[in-house]
Every structure is written in structure tokens, then in C-alpha cells.
């Protein structure tokens, strides 16, 4: 039996009503689904409209495909203090952000990254912010993430932040606020990629219909930026990991494979003649760029944390001589100090 266009539309409207039945925004709190006018936001309707065409069994089957792909991929994470990995918990509904709102977020986060880059350059360089009173000296020197051995060291490649992340949330006024800065060794990009791949395979038609912003250009630009920072035209780029016991080791291994980087630990690296090399069966091979996921304090037991079993002895000296690019630069974690946030507007 073939449904008429009117009957089909009526069925879809009924399914849409069933999907949103009982939904009520919390009073006094900006709602992602319901706008200030009391009506569903347009980008959510664009998502729910094709979803309402699917039978509930088909939706459940697609969710099952997503869960199965997470297991097949081996996507895991570990809660700090635990010894067992957990499966990556992918939510059934994506977080939808309209294109216009996303442009505002992108512009604001980019501006903040440039501000933090400039601030770090001054802190580890000229020191004008402290000298002028714009930043308290105690805030800088009293932070455990301020690394005195990096004072006066210009970052090879010319940049301290190669990857910056921000924790975002909506304020009471509905606008996006930065709740925290991530500059030490930001994680999450790999899990975002896993989320996209899983959802695109679970709901391929819906994914195309929504015209979702692609992630591949971001990773291509990131890789190109790291390569451009190196001295050689065909640099050897490494993802420097704490190892298997890292809470996000899966993500690190996933990204190294996706981007074509070598996955290395501190024990795989050695400093010789102002340069960092990788130990291989064919001898030492120069490492041009280290994308570190090791906290800076543990990166060099000679000049930083002497108890570190994760570091590369002599890494700081290699940076002084410009022999290797480290992303993010050692000392960039100072940007995460909560006290710094109150001074950034100035």
C-alpha cells in the first residue's frame, strides 16, 4: 500500500510530536532545543525532521551500529586513579550548533588563543606585563606551571601554542563562556574524530542532510602547521606519549596513526649535539617535531622534574639551541592557571 503525500506528511508530524513529547525547558535557563520565543530552534528541526521519517526500530538499529563500531574501534578512556579502561561513552544525540553561532565561537576562541600566545611570549620574554603591573609577579612565579628554565628561550618554529582548546558552556544570558583554557597538552581532538566517524556510519543519510562541518581540514591544517615549524622540508613528526598508562592513550595512538606521526615515549628519544633523535634498529634518526602529550614538568629530568621517568634528558637544552620543535612549548601550561583568567580582559 502506497501512502499519499498528505498521509506521509501527517505520519511524519505525528512521529515528530512523539519524539519531542514531554520535553519542557528548565525555567530561567537557556535551552538548546527551545528558543526564547518558545518554539524549537530551526537547526534542531532540521535534524529531527528526517529522523522522524525513520521507524523506531530503525533508529534503535542505528544506535546499535554506533555502539558496535565503538567496540570494534577499541575507543577507550581511563578515569584518573583507575587501572581499567572504559568504553568511550558516545551520546545518542549530537550537540547541534548552528553555522552562525559556530562562526562566533570560532572567532572568539581564535582571538583568545592569539591573546594567550602573546601573553606567554611576554611572560617568557620581555616581561612587560609584570613590569607594568598588568600581571602580578606572584601569579607568574607562584604557578607550578611556570618553568624558570624556559625563561628567555624562544620557541623553535616561532610559536608556543600549536593546539589550544577551551572548555565552553552557556552563561545565564545564553551566550557562550570560556570556563577553562587548555594549553598544557590538550586532549579531545581524537575523540571528536571518533564521534564523527561513528555517527556518520550509523546515520549516513542524516549526516549528509545536515551538511555537518568536516573535521578533516582542521587536522590537515594542524599537520601542515607542525611541518612548517620544522627546519627540514620533509620533517619527522612524533607524537610524544606518556605511554600505555596514560588516561587517553587510545586517543594518542589513534591520532598518530591517522596523521601519520611516529608514536614515541621518552625512552625512545635521546638528545645528541643539540638535536633530539629516535632510537631505531638502523641507528639514531632525527626527530624534528614532538607533539607532546606529556606534562611539561616531566619532559626533562635534567632541568625540570628529576624524578620523571617519562622525559628526555637534555630536551630543554635542545630547545635553547633550536634543535627541535615541541608543541605545545614547554611552559605553555601556565595559560591554564585559573587566576590568569581574570586578567585576560585587561
Amino acid at each position: 500500500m502506497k501512502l499519499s503525500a498528505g498521509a506521509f506528511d501527517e505520519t511524519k508530524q505525528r512521529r515528530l510530536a512523539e519524539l519531542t513529547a514531554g520535553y519542557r525547558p528548565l525555567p530561567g535557563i537557556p535551552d538548546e532545543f527551545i528558543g526564547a520565543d518558545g518554539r524549537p530552534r530551526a537547526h534542531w528541526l532540521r535534524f529531527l525532521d528526517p529522523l522522524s521519517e525513520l521507524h523506531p526500530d530503525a533508529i534503535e538499529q542505528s544506535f546499535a551500529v554506533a555502539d558496535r563500531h565503538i567496540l570494534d574501534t577499541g575507543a577507550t578512556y581511563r578515569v584518573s586513579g583507575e587501572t581499567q579502561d572504559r568504553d568511550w561513552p558516545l551520546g545518542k544525540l549530537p550537540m547541534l550548533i548552528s553555522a552562525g553561532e559556530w562562526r562566533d565561537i570560532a572567532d572568539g576562541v581564535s582571538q583568545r588563543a592569539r591573546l594567550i600566545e602573546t601573553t606567554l611570549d611576554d611572560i617568557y620574554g620581555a616581561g612587560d606585563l609584570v613590569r607594568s603591573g598588568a600581571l602580578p609577579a606572584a601569579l607568574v612565579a607562584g604557578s607550578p606551571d611556570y618553568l624558570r628554565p624556559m625563561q628567555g628561550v624562544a620557541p623553535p618554529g616561532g610559536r608556543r601554542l600549536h593546539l589550544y582548546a577551551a572548555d565552553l558552556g552557556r552563561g545565564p544570558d545564553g551566550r557562550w563562556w570560556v570556563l577553562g583554557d587548555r594549553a598544557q597538552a590538550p586532549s579531545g581532538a581524537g575523540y571528536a574524530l571518533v564521534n564523527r566517524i561513528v555517527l556518520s556510519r550509523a546515520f549516513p543519510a542524516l549526516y549528509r542532510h545536515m551538511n555537518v562541518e568536516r573535521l578533516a581540514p582542521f587536522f590537515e591544517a594542524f599537520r601542515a602547521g607542525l611541518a612548517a615549524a620544522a627546519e627540514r622540508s620533509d620533517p619527522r613528526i612524533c607524537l610524544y606519549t606518556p605511554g600505555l598508562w596514560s588516561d587517553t592513550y587510545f586517543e594518542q595512538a589513534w591520532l598518530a596513526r591517522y596523521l601519520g606521526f611516529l608514536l614515541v615515549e621518552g625512552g625512545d628519544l635521546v638528545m645528541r649535539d643539540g638535536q633530539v633523535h629516535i632510537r631505531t634498529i638502523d641507528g639514531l634518526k632525527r626527530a624534528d617535531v614532538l607533539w607532546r602529550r606529556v606534562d611539561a614538568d616531566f619532559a626533562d629530568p635534567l632541568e625540570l622534574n628529576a624524578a620523571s621517568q617519562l622525559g628526555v634528558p637534555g630536551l630543554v637544552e635542545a630547545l635553547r639551541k633550536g634543535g627541535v620543535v615541541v608543541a605545545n612549548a614547554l611552559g605553555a601550561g601556565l595559560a591554564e592557571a585559573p587566576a590568569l583568567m581574570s586578567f585576560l580582559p585587561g
Side-chain angles (χ1 to χ4, degrees):
M1 178 179 175
K2 188 175 181 180
L3 289 175
S4 66
F8 178 78
D9 187 65
E10 183 180 338
T11 301
K12 190 168 68 170
Q13 291 294 327
R14 178 173 51 80
R15 286 281 299 120
L16 182 58
E18 290 173 355
L19 287 172
T20 59
Y23 186 89
R24 299 291 183 274
L26 295 175
I29 298 176
D31 192 82
E32 294 296 327
F33 178 49
I34 302 296
D37 58 0
R39 302 175 62 183
R41 300 180 189 273
H43 56 281
W44 273 100
L45 287 178
R46 188 179 175 195
F47 169 75
L48 293 174
D49 187 62
L51 194 67
S52 65
E53 297 177 6
L54 301 177
H55 190 275
D57 291 343
I59 296 176
E60 286 301 320
Q61 185 178 9
S62 295
F63 287 153
V65 168
D67 291 338
R68 186 165 60 252
H69 188 66
I70 287 287
L71 293 175
D72 292 343
T73 304
T76 59
Y77 74 106
R78 187 180 303 130
V79 175
S80 181
E82 294 185 354
T83 58
Q84 296 296 319
D85 290 340
R86 300 187 184 189
D87 293 332
W88 180 243
L90 181 63
K92 301 302 185 185
L93 285 179
M95 173 66 181
L96 300 184
I97 299 175
S98 67
E101 191 169 37
W102 181 252
R103 283 193 293 270
D104 290 341
I105 291 174
D107 289 345
V109 170
S110 297
Q111 182 192 53
R112 191 177 183 89
R114 291 193 297 272
L115 172 61
I116 292 175
E117 174 82 24
T118 305
T119 302
L120 290 172
D121 267 343
D122 181 81
I123 288 173
Y124 286 103
D128 292 334
L129 291 173
V130 170
R131 190 177 299 109
S132 66
L135 274 181
L139 186 155
V140 175
S143 171
D145 289 312
Y146 170 69
L147 302 184
R148 182 67 182 83
M150 298 305 299
Q151 188 66 45
V153 179
R159 186 178 295 276
R160 297 182 191 276
L161 293 183
H162 294 261
L163 182 64
Y164 163 77
D167 296 334
L168 301 178
R170 287 198 192 273
D173 56 0
R175 295 187 303 166
W176 289 98
W177 291 10
V178 174
L179 306 178
D181 299 289
R182 298 287 173 258
Q184 176 70 266
S187 61
Y191 289 116
L193 183 60
V194 170
N195 290 352
R196 286 294 178 84
I197 292 174
V198 169
L199 286 178
S200 66
R201 293 181 179 178
F203 295 97
L206 185 59
Y207 191 86
R208 290 191 297 271
H209 172 79
M210 291 294 293
N211 193 27
V212 177
E213 187 82 17
R214 295 178 63 244
L215 292 182
F218 162 79
F219 287 103
E220 291 167 1
F222 175 63
R223 193 188 195 289
L226 291 181
E231 289 182 349
R232 299 192 297 175
S233 59
D234 187 20
R236 185 174 287 109
I237 304 176
C238 307
L239 196 156
Y240 173 24
T241 173
L244 282 168
W245 293 106
S246 171
D247 296 344
T248 57
Y249 182 75
F250 161 81
E251 182 197 33
Q252 297 160 33
W254 172 275
L255 284 173
R257 184 166 58 249
Y258 178 77
L259 293 169
F261 296 168
L262 294 175
L263 187 67
V264 299
E265 300 181 27
D268 301 320
L269 303 171
V270 60
M271 200 274 272
R272 291 285 189 275
D273 301 323
Q275 297 177 343
V276 175
H277 297 78
I278 309 166
R279 292 186 172 97
T280 75
I281 57 174
D282 295 323
L284 297 180
K285 303 292 183 181
R286 182 179 176 183
D288 299 275
V289 181
L290 299 180
W291 177 20
R292 68 175 177 89
R293 295 294 292 268
V294 175
D295 284 355
D297 187 44
F298 291 90
D300 184 346
L302 289 183
E303 298 200 48
L304 299 173
N305 189 337
S308 172
Q309 300 294 314
L310 306 174
V312 184
L315 180 59
V316 171
E317 183 61 21
L319 289 171
R320 290 194 186 102
K321 295 181 178 180
V324 65
V325 175
V326 174
N328 285 340
L330 301 186
L334 177 61
E336 298 186 3
L340 184 62
M341 295 185 71
S342 61
F343 291 93
L344 288 180

